[in-house]
Amino acid sequence: GSVLDEQTTEDANTAHVTDLLGETSVGGTATLTESGVTTLAPPDAIFHTKVAYGLDTHPSKINLGVGAYRTDDNKPWVLPSVRAAEEILIEQHLDHEYLPIAGDAEMCDLSLELILGDWGMANQERIARVQSVSGTGGLRMVAEFVHKFSPDSGIFIPEPTWGNHKTIMSAAYHPAGKYTYYDPSTLGLDFDGLVKDLKSFPKKSVILLHCCAQNPTGVDPSKEQWDQLAAVFKERDLMPWFDAPYLGFASGNIERDRYGLETFAKAGLELFVSLSYAKNFGLYGERVGCVFAICPTPDAAAAVKSQLCRITRYAHSNCPRYGARIVRTVLGDPSLKKQWHADIATMSSRIINMRTTLHSKLKELGTPGNWDHIINQIGMFTYTGLNPEQVKRMTSEFHIYLLASGRISMTGINSKNVDYVAQAIHTVVSTKSNL
């Protein structure tokens, strides 16, 4: 896990999508030949899983692939705090002019307070902050920044991680290496392997960390482990980069979910943060986020901000306005902010309840193996431990769609289908395929 390595699960995911959709939907078909483009790009595993699910006509089909919150009735949910903010904005009869290149400044300031509390406000002069096109855009922005201003610094991402991380780094001409994170034998954190890899990396290396609710494993460090990691980063002079798409969504408590980030900041580490409001505000399609850089001085922060703005300018000029207005309205109004905290508690508690229920069902069925990882992991996703063959059976025999890695989105499970999901897992683990 300590060397640059291009091998990922892409091949397995592509094969899985091929199984779901058939050969004609996946690469190799000549198109636009005169332009020199001769093959289709490989499919995105997550979105093509959604397509395959949509084509399935089986009445019991279930989509456990896409990471978007669903109610117990399997419906999208507009947060009450968001709906209230929208009503306020409608009454203001606002225009749709461009935002400044740096985005909605008030939204960014309120976001700083959200992610770093009083410490963030006390140190705001040396924290650069700009709006981003949700989390993905923020990740690309930082990757571009690192490539341009620290080209000799390696970027390292956890193994496993969100599938888009590697692609984003490569697109920014800064391919990422890997570090040890997950232990398949325990279905938990390989903390010793993680620390060993960190201590082997060159100084000034940039290390991507999941702020909370690690995707895809749902495995996070404990508070004590975060404390130890901060010390290792200081000792080795490493640069942390926190990806924060699930702040508040993991446990329902902002302070708990930001513990690692806050610990690193208070330890005096310079760092980046890529924050998204897709999940915790339910603003998936509005593409709202922020990038933060904790710098040594206010002058350094001003310089970093100017360069982030320059990247924004040539990437997309400026960010969408509507979602930023919603976030600013909610975070800037004490009563709406209180409602929002209740909203994220509603979402996280439903997911935690489904974890508990699924775990109990598997125990009742006597499913072989230890399934405690389902209740020990946190956030939207669970790494089930199912192997690729068992995943194929989940789809072919039970019409349950998930990634080849065995990752499932807990939001796709509800009180009406949890028995069916548990029985499917029990069957593919307990028996051999009849096919």
Side-chain angles (χ1 to χ4, degrees), residues 209-283:
L209 299 162
H210 294 238
C211 187
C212 61
Q214 206 265 5
N215 177 7
T217 69
V219 174
D220 288 348
S222 66
K223 287 186 175 182
E224 293 74 21
Q225 288 170 333
W226 276 123
D227 294 341
Q228 293 176 57
L229 289 174
V232 172
F233 271 73
K234 286 209 74 172
E235 173 194 335
R236 293 295 305 160
D237 193 18
L238 303 173
M239 167 71 96
W241 175 9
F242 284 87
D243 185 12
Y246 299 104
L247 194 66
F249 196 95
S251 68
N253 182 288
I254 294 290
E255 289 74 19
R256 188 180 308 159
D257 288 353
R258 76 185 187 199
Y259 180 84
L261 167 58
E262 199 167 9
T263 298
F264 275 54
K266 290 179 177 178
L269 288 157
E270 298 175 25
L271 57 83
F272 289 108
V273 183
S274 300
L275 173 69
S276 168
Y277 285 117
K279 304 292 195 297
N280 56 13
F281 266 76
L283 294 173

Side-chain angles (χ1 to χ4, degrees), residues 129-374:
R129 48 201 181 273
V130 298
Q131 187 176 336
S132 64
V133 182
S134 201
T136 304
L139 289 164
R140 177 62 185 265
M141 191 185 300
V142 175
E144 292 259 6
F145 183 95
V146 172
H147 179 69
K148 185 173 184 179
F149 295 103
S150 191
D152 295 328
S153 294
I155 296 176
F156 295 89
I157 59 179
E159 172 60 29
T161 191
W162 180 47
N164 218 15
H165 278 148
K166 173 181 176 289
T167 310
I168 291 168
M169 307 312 162
S170 296
Y173 305 102
H174 210 105
K178 299 178 184 178
Y179 64 84
T180 300
Y181 190 84
Y182 179 73
D183 184 349
S185 66
T186 64
L187 302 176
L189 179 66
D190 184 352
F191 187 70
D192 291 341
L194 167 57
V195 171
K196 180 180 178 181
D197 279 358
L198 291 176
K199 289 185 175 180
S200 74
F201 295 148
K203 290 186 176 183
K204 308 299 182 184
S205 295
V206 179
I207 315 298
L208 185 76
L209 299 162
H210 294 238
C211 187
C212 61
Q214 206 265 5
N215 177 7
T217 69
V219 174
D220 288 348
S222 66
K223 287 186 175 182
E224 293 74 21
Q225 288 170 333
W226 276 123
D227 294 341
Q228 293 176 57
L229 289 174
V232 172
F233 271 73
K234 286 209 74 172
E235 173 194 335
R236 293 295 305 160
D237 193 18
L238 303 173
M239 167 71 96
W241 175 9
F242 284 87
D243 185 12
Y246 299 104
L247 194 66
F249 196 95
S251 68
N253 182 288
I254 294 290
E255 289 74 19
R256 188 180 308 159
D257 288 353
R258 76 185 187 199
Y259 180 84
L261 167 58
E262 199 167 9
T263 298
F264 275 54
K266 290 179 177 178
L269 288 157
E270 298 175 25
L271 57 83
F272 289 108
V273 183
S274 300
L275 173 69
S276 168
Y277 285 117
K279 304 292 195 297
N280 56 13
F281 266 76
L283 294 173
Y284 303 100
E286 303 301 339
R287 316 310 293 145
V288 193
C290 298
V291 166
F292 304 87
I294 300 180
C295 305
T297 66
D299 286 346
V304 169
K305 181 177 179 178
S306 72
Q307 295 296 342
L308 291 173
C309 285
R310 188 177 184 189
I311 292 170
T312 296
R313 179 60 175 155
Y314 68 66
H316 48 264
S317 281
N318 39 43
C319 292
R321 185 161 214 158
Y322 182 66
R325 281 171 167 164
I326 291 173
V327 172
R328 181 187 68 201
T329 302
V330 171
L331 295 183
D333 183 300
S335 62
L336 287 182
K337 188 176 182 181
K338 183 178 179 180
Q339 176 63 54
W340 175 66
H341 279 277
D343 295 341
I344 56 177
T346 295
M347 292 188 287
S348 63
S349 62
R350 194 187 88 71
I351 292 172
I352 291 169
N353 181 51
M354 285 300 101
R355 287 184 178 278
T356 302
T357 305
L358 179 61
H359 177 257
S360 298
K361 299 288 184 184
L362 291 171
K363 287 188 70 175
E364 289 172 13
L365 290 168
T367 308
N370 185 334
W371 296 92
D372 289 350
H373 58 281
I374 291 176

Side-chain angles (χ1 to χ4, degrees), residues 9 11 18 27 47 57 111 171 178 207 213 218 249 255 338 342 354 386 389 429:
T9 58
D11 291 340
T18 303
F47 284 95
T57 58
S111 299
K178 299 178 184 178
I207 315 298
F249 196 95
E255 289 74 19
K338 183 178 179 180
M354 285 300 101
L386 296 177
E389 186 59 37
V429 170

